[in-house]
Amino acid sequence: MASDAPDACCQLALDPAVREDARRRLASVRGHVDGIIRMLEREDVYCVDVLKQVKAVEGALAKVGEGVLRSHLRNHVVSARERGDADVIVAELMEVLKYR
Amino acid sequence: MASDAPDACCQLALDPAVREDARRRLASVRGHVDGIIRMLEREDVYCVDVLKQVKAVEGALAKVGEGVLRSHLRNHVVSARERGDADVIVAELMEVLKYR
Amino acid sequence: MASDAPDACCQLALDPAVREDARRRLASVRGHVDGIIRMLEREDVYCVDVLKQVKAVEGALAKVGEGVLRSHLRNHVVSARERGDADVIVAELMEVLKYR
Amino acid sequence: MASDAPDACCQLALDPAVREDARRRLASVRGHVDGIIRMLEREDVYCVDVLKQVKAVEGALAKVGEGVLRSHLRNHVVSARERGDADVIVAELMEVLKYR
């Protein structure tokens, strides 16, 4: 059900409030990544300090994913049978949940 | 052995080539995050498309972490006993590897 | 919607074929765990050999989880709105997907 | 440095106390897996109850892995350069840490 799929009309769009929250969180992720890039410009940067910061960014990204997933389950997955697209919805969800 | 710890001298700094590779990869991560932020400005963005992009960024971050970890093991951990800081090195490594 | 919750009638039971597949896979996981227990009775067992076997068991468990999750999505989550239990279904699913 | 590699003498064996702790934890994992197998014999077993139990076993396995990893770092990895097997030790450790 990629957004370019013909029948992916606005009813399967990400909830506006969740979209804004994700956008805000990702703006902060970007700032955090900038911080690590600056850190890496120092010759004496210690490996574990970098690993800790990368892990913190991973945590922030997981929060973004969590919010979008919850919204998708609540707004689209629970009504997939009524809409008739349950197979596609389940298949793409299983794909995106692999190694999560 | 955080970089601000008094005895964290340059001998425990991240290898320059690995530092540059991590910096380059993170610059691309930042571009990718920018792309998702733009995606989230579209009212019709589909949840699973966002989840796929977040997962791709997580994969790119994991590559950064992998490179830094390998370098740390190779350049610092394997010689910790000789240096006398094995306990600190092991403790902070176990902390950063949790939920990896 | 734990199975002891009053309204968890048979319609939300795990699909019989998936149940049997999970049972069969877990019987093999148990045999694998027995193998590691025997391995640990050897004084010369090498740490990384144990880590590899633990990781293989984790992989087999992930397959069990994947099968049950797919079946749950397909048979219960996609029809939750019609049934009227969407909130509970989404909340417990988000809980079980954490750190997966 | 698999245990069948010629030079894997007892000095690289898993610490006896950690070996016993791992063995004890795995015996409990086996009991837990038996419990899920019994659960799966019930026709009305609910998917999410199975997912919760599988996740609990994954958590217990992670504890086994954590103990063995810490012991390996402390007893073998920190002295690898002195022993002269740093490259093998780092390569096999990176392999086992993938997707952990």
Side-chain angles (χ1 to χ4, degrees):
Chain A
M1 195 66 63
S3 64
D4 42 31
D7 55 1
C9 71
C10 58
Q11 61 162 231
L12 290 197
L14 179 58
D15 172 278
V18 177
R19 185 156 55 88
E20 177 47 29
D21 178 68
R23 206 195 53 71
R24 198 175 43 74
R25 286 178 185 275
L26 282 171
S28 137
V29 162
R30 203 189 67 166
H32 202 151
V33 170
D34 280 340
I36 307 176
I37 291 175
R38 281 193 302 275
M39 224 180 151
L40 287 164
E41 275 144 21
R42 284 185 10 232
E43 284 183 15
D44 66 343
V45 68
Y46 179 48
C47 318
V48 175
D49 291 340
V50 177
L51 290 175
K52 283 179 189 169
Q53 294 306 318
V54 167
K55 194 172 168 182
V57 173
E58 286 171 338
L61 273 173
K63 286 277 181 221
V64 174
E66 217 177 287
V68 174
L69 176 61
R70 181 180 293 110
S71 173
H72 182 54
L73 287 172
R74 193 178 283 158
N75 295 326
H76 303 141
V77 182
V78 295
S79 49
R81 198 169 70 168
E82 293 166 74
R83 267 196 323 275
D85 55 12
D87 288 349
V88 172
I89 290 273
V90 170
E92 62 183 15
L93 195 50
M94 286 305 292
E95 188 52 35
V96 94
L97 289 176
K98 236 181 220 160
Y99 301 125
R100 188 179 162 278
Chain B
M1 196 65 64
S3 66
D4 42 29
D7 53 8
C9 71
C10 57
Q11 62 164 230
L12 292 195
L14 179 59
D15 173 279
V18 177
R19 185 156 55 87
E20 177 48 28
D21 178 67
R23 206 195 53 71
R24 197 174 43 73
R25 286 177 185 272
L26 282 170
S28 136
V29 161
R30 198 186 59 182
H32 202 150
V33 170
D34 279 341
I36 307 175
I37 291 175
R38 281 193 301 277
M39 223 179 149
L40 286 165
E41 276 145 20
R42 285 186 9 231
E43 284 182 18
D44 66 343
V45 68
Y46 179 48
C47 318
V48 176
D49 291 341
V50 177
L51 290 175
K52 283 178 189 169
Q53 294 305 319
V54 167
K55 193 173 170 183
V57 173
E58 285 171 339
L61 274 174
K63 286 276 179 223
V64 174
E66 215 178 288
V68 174
L69 176 61
R70 181 180 293 108
S71 173
H72 182 54
L73 288 171
R74 194 178 279 156
N75 295 324
H76 302 142
V77 182
V78 295
S79 48
R81 196 169 71 170
E82 294 166 72
R83 267 197 323 275
D85 54 13
D87 288 349
V88 173
I89 289 273
V90 169
E92 61 183 14
L93 195 51
M94 287 305 293
E95 187 53 34
V96 94
L97 290 176
K98 237 183 221 161
Y99 302 126
R100 186 173 164 282
Chain C
M1 195 66 62
S3 64
D4 44 27
D7 53 6
C9 71
C10 57
Q11 60 167 231
L12 291 196
L14 179 60
D15 171 279
V18 176
R19 184 156 56 88
E20 177 47 29
D21 178 68
R23 207 194 54 70
R24 197 175 44 75
R25 285 177 186 275
L26 282 171
S28 136
V29 161
R30 201 188 64 173
H32 203 150
V33 169
D34 279 340
I36 308 175
I37 291 174
R38 281 193 302 276
M39 222 179 151
L40 287 165
E41 275 145 23
R42 283 185 10 232
E43 284 182 18
D44 67 343
V45 68
Y46 179 47
C47 318
V48 175
D49 292 340
V50 177
L51 290 175
K52 284 179 189 169
Q53 294 304 320
V54 167
K55 193 172 169 184
V57 174
E58 286 170 339
L61 274 173
K63 286 277 179 218
V64 175
E66 216 177 287
V68 174
L69 176 62
R70 181 180 292 109
S71 174
H72 183 55
L73 288 172
R74 193 179 280 157
N75 296 325
H76 303 142
V77 182
V78 295
S79 49
R81 197 169 71 169
E82 295 165 71
R83 267 197 322 275
D85 54 13
D87 288 349
V88 173
I89 290 272
V90 169
E92 61 183 15
L93 196 50
M94 287 305 293
E95 188 52 36
V96 95
L97 288 177
K98 236 182 221 162
Y99 302 126
R100 186 178 165 280
Chain D
M1 194 66 61
S3 64
D4 42 30
D7 54 4
C9 71
C10 57
Q11 60 163 231
L12 291 196
L14 178 60
D15 173 279
V18 176
R19 184 156 55 86
E20 178 47 28
D21 177 69
R23 206 193 54 72
R24 197 175 43 75
R25 286 177 187 274
L26 282 171
S28 140
V29 161
R30 198 186 59 182
H32 201 150
V33 170
D34 280 341
I36 308 175
I37 291 175
R38 281 193 301 275
M39 225 180 149
L40 287 165
E41 275 144 20
R42 283 186 9 232
E43 284 183 19
D44 67 344
V45 69
Y46 179 50
C47 318
V48 175
D49 291 340
V50 177
L51 290 175
K52 283 178 188 169
Q53 295 305 318
V54 168
K55 192 172 169 183
V57 173
E58 285 171 340
L61 273 174
K63 286 278 179 217
V64 175
E66 215 178 287
V68 174
L69 176 61
R70 181 180 293 109
S71 174
H72 183 54
L73 288 172
R74 193 178 282 158
N75 296 324
H76 302 141
V77 182
V78 295
S79 48
R81 197 169 70 169
E82 295 166 72
R83 266 197 324 275
D85 54 14
D87 288 349
V88 173
I89 290 272
V90 170
E92 61 184 15
L93 195 51
M94 287 304 294
E95 188 52 35
V96 94
L97 289 176
K98 235 182 222 163
Y99 302 125
R100 188 177 164 281

